[in-house]
């Protein structure tokens, strides 16, 4: 997913006039080029939101075809217990082939977290798309957000280079960010949530932040009409993460704030362990990808089968990103025993670790699912309502994997609808504790090699 920043062009900047930022921070807003940039962002918002919807629908259709229609077509009343085994092996083989033989390495490696540092060139988009569909559609424990960011940014970058070949590097980067913005907002159901995510990952601040985010806000806002509709047109629906019909939760008390500290530390330990192990495995996978990726897919399928056989629940709770299964777990939390939840966390966590190291996708939704399941498991203990526990668990796990505290708070609270406002103080505490703890558990990066220092001569 990473790619070099488009090369700087010589001469005065085109498009938005970003070179005036040093002397007049809001000067670009008064230029004709910036208005053209906003218009292009609005058009791209509609196109890329529709494309994001098509991508998500394609993933859903592949999953239904492979896990529902194909077994029935072969004469099975329901998928046999061994059914995930060949599918995950085939998934691993397809992903490995796409990474090895197509440009772009199949996109960003999910064990590294989320990356929005550069849009891929057009030549890499096919490899990213195929690796993502082979991972997500066949049951890998991975989310769709990273491919959407890459595809949205890459298509937008291609569009600006075709429409305005003389655009400077900054304008190209802003348009590419707008494409990523529109695509990820279509998944997350909120332009503001997408704004927080890209703001935290970009590291931009000051007036430049507003100038960079404004086209993206416009793109995602206009693009949301694909889902919400306009006037008598109802749109295509979907695009909402809120889980309806959750029981109302009471205001937080002192016991729940104490639990926020515990869940924050636990989430940091679990998330850091998963990510560090995934990065270690990633090195082995790179050396022999065609062997390791199908083999790890086989192990993930075995974990799903073991969970299903031990608990009587569906293996899909271990497979996939967890985005579709999360509402069911929250709405039927009382039907899960502590032992079943513990086994689910272990199997999903190991599968998540393995898929982070070898497959292609994003890290968000499996982290949310594992965090929610962990919180619900802890809610069997005194003084911890399960909705509050699930919210704190989601926030703590998300920030441990993403290192994005504001985005993690919003993700955990927006999912819960009206309950999210009530539990937000608890989530903030859990996220802050998890973020600080994870930073202390993660080794500091090695300093860059510097010039050799000649020791001073020893006096005679």
């Amino acid at each position: 997913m990473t790619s070099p920043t488009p090369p700087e062009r010589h001469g005065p900047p085109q498009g938005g006039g970003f070179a005036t930022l040093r002397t007049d921070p809001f000067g670009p807003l008064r230029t004709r080029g910036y208005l053209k940039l906003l218009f292009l962002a609005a058009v791209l918002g509609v196109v890329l939101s529709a494309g994001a919807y098509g991508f998500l629908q394609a993933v859903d259709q592949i999953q239904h075809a492979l896990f529902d229609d194909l077994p029935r077509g072969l004469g099975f009343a329901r998928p046999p217990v061994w059914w995930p085994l060949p599918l995950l092996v085939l998934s691993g083989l397809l992903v490995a082939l796409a990474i090895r033989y197509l440009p772009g390495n199949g996109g960003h490696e999910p064990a590294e977290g989320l990356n929005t540092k550069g849009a891929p060139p057009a030549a890499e988009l096919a490899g990213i798309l195929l690796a993502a569909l082979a991972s997500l559609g066949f049951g890998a424990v991975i989310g769709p957000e990273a491919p959407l960011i890459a595809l949205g940014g890459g298509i937008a970058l291609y569009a600006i280079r075709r429409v305005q070949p003389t655009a400077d590097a900054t304008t190209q980067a802003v348009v590419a960010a707008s494409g990523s913005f529109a695509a990820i907002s279509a998944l997350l159901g909120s332009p503001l949530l997408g704004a927080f995510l890209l703001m935290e990952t970009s590291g931009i601040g000051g007036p430049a932040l507003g100038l960079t985010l404004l086209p993206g806000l416009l793109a995602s806002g206009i693009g949301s009409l694909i889902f919400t509709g306009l006037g008598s047109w109802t749109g295509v629906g979907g695009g909402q993460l809120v889980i309806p019909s959750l029981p109302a939760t009471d205001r937080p008390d002192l016991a729940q704030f104490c639990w926020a500290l515990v869940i924050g530390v636990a989430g940091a330990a679990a998330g850091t362990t998963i990510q560090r192990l995934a990065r270690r495995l990633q090195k082995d996978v790179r050396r022999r990808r065609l062997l390791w990726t199908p083999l790890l897919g086989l192990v993930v399928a075995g974990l799903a089968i073991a969970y299903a056989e031990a608990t009587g629940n569906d293996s899909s709770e271990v497979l996939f990103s967890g985005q579709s299964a999360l509402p069911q777990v929250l709405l039927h939390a009382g039907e899960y025993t502590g032992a079943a939840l513990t086994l689910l966390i272990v199997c999903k966590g190991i599968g998540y670790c393995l898929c982070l190291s070898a497959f292609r996708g994003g890290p968000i939704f499996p982290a949310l699912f594992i965090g929610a399941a962990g919180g619900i498991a802890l809610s069997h203990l005194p003084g911890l309502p399960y909705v509050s526990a699930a919210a704190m668990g989601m926030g703590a796990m998300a920030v441990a994997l993403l290192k994005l505290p504001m985005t993690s708070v919003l993700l955990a609270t927006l999912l819960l609808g009206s309950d999210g406002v009530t539990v937000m103080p608890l989530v903030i505490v859990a996220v802050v504790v998890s973020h600080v703890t994870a930073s202390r558990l993660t080794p500091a990066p090695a300093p860059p090699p510097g010039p050799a220092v000649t020791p001073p001569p020893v006096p005679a």
Side-chain angles (χ1 to χ4, degrees):
M1 179 173 168
T2 58
S3 66
T5 303
E8 289 283 347
R9 300 178 183 273
H10 299 287
Q14 307 294 322
F18 285 91
T20 63
L21 275 173
R22 293 181 180 178
T23 56
D24 183 3
F26 300 102
L29 291 174
R30 295 187 287 270
T31 64
R32 180 181 297 180
Y34 194 81
L35 295 179
K36 291 180 180 178
L37 185 63
L38 290 176
F39 176 77
L40 179 60
V43 174
L44 286 173
V46 175
V47 174
L48 293 175
S49 292
Y53 174 78
F55 173 82
L56 296 173
Q57 285 297 304
V59 170
D60 187 63
Q61 291 300 316
I62 293 172
Q63 291 175 354
H64 280 297
L66 294 177
F67 287 87
D68 296 324
D69 298 339
L70 184 57
R72 283 198 294 268
L74 294 176
F76 296 105
R78 55 173 299 173
V81 67
W82 51 263
W83 190 254
L85 292 171
L87 294 182
L88 266 297
V89 172
L90 179 58
S91 172
L93 181 61
L94 293 174
V95 171
L97 290 172
I99 294 172
R100 182 166 180 177
Y101 293 107
L102 294 177
N105 197 41
H108 176 61
E109 295 184 279
E112 306 300 325
L114 274 181
N115 173 36
T116 58
K117 295 180 180 178
E124 298 180 3
L125 297 181
I128 294 171
L129 177 63
L130 291 175
L133 291 177
S135 297
L136 297 165
F138 286 68
V141 187
I142 208 75
E145 60 278 357
L148 280 176
I149 290 174
L151 294 169
I155 293 171
L157 180 62
Y158 175 77
I160 185 64
R161 287 175 172 175
R162 297 286 294 180
V163 172
Q164 192 175 351
T166 59
D168 64 286
T170 303
T171 301
Q172 292 184 33
V174 170
V175 171
S178 300
S180 296
F181 207 145
I184 195 64
S185 297
L187 170 67
L188 299 177
S190 168
L192 290 179
L193 185 52
F196 271 95
L197 191 153
L198 292 179
M199 178 178 66
E200 287 193 285
T201 55
S202 69
I204 301 174
L209 175 61
L211 294 172
T212 302
L213 288 183
L214 196 60
L217 276 173
L218 180 63
S220 57
I222 296 293
S224 66
L225 298 176
I226 296 292
F227 298 90
T228 61
L230 182 67
S232 59
W233 179 57
T234 59
V236 298
Q240 294 294 325
L241 287 182
V242 178
I243 299 171
S245 305
L246 287 172
T249 185
D250 296 330
R251 291 194 305 173
D253 54 25
L254 181 59
Q256 293 179 45
F257 274 100
C258 293
W259 274 114
L261 302 177
V262 174
I263 292 174
V265 173
T272 303
T273 300
I274 288 172
Q275 192 168 48
R276 290 180 69 177
L277 289 176
R279 287 176 175 174
R280 288 186 182 182
L281 279 171
Q282 187 175 260
K283 298 176 182 178
D284 295 323
V285 171
R286 287 171 179 167
R287 286 194 290 266
R288 303 187 67 183
R289 190 175 299 278
L290 289 174
L291 170 65
W292 277 107
T293 311
L295 183 60
L296 293 180
L298 185 67
V299 176
V300 172
L303 290 167
I305 293 169
Y307 169 76
E309 290 291 283
T311 63
N313 297 329
D314 200 288
S315 61
S316 62
E317 293 181 2
V318 172
L319 301 176
F320 308 110
S321 69
Q323 182 180 357
S324 299
L326 180 58
Q328 298 304 314
V329 171
L330 284 170
L331 292 171
H332 302 282
E335 300 175 11
Y336 290 83
T337 64
L341 286 168
T342 301
L343 185 60
L344 175 58
I345 295 166
V346 171
C347 292
K348 187 88 171 181
I350 297 174
Y352 181 36
C353 176
L354 300 181
C355 290
L356 284 175
S357 69
F359 289 81
R360 289 296 183 264
I364 292 180
F365 287 102
L368 293 176
F369 184 93
I370 294 168
I376 295 170
L378 288 175
S379 71
H380 288 80
L381 301 174
L384 187 59
Y386 91 88
V387 174
S388 301
M392 290 186 281
M394 286 190 288
M397 276 294 294
V399 78
L401 269 298
L402 302 178
K403 309 298 187 289
L404 308 176
M406 290 189 292
T407 300
S408 300
V409 170
L410 287 175
L411 279 168
T413 53
L414 289 179
L415 276 166
L416 304 181
S418 59
D419 284 342
V421 178
T422 305
V423 302
M424 184 177 286
L426 298 172
V427 175
I428 291 173
V429 173
V431 165
V432 171
V433 171
S434 177
H435 192 37
V436 173
T437 305
S439 68
R440 296 182 69 87
L441 293 175
T442 303
V453 178
T454 305
V458 178

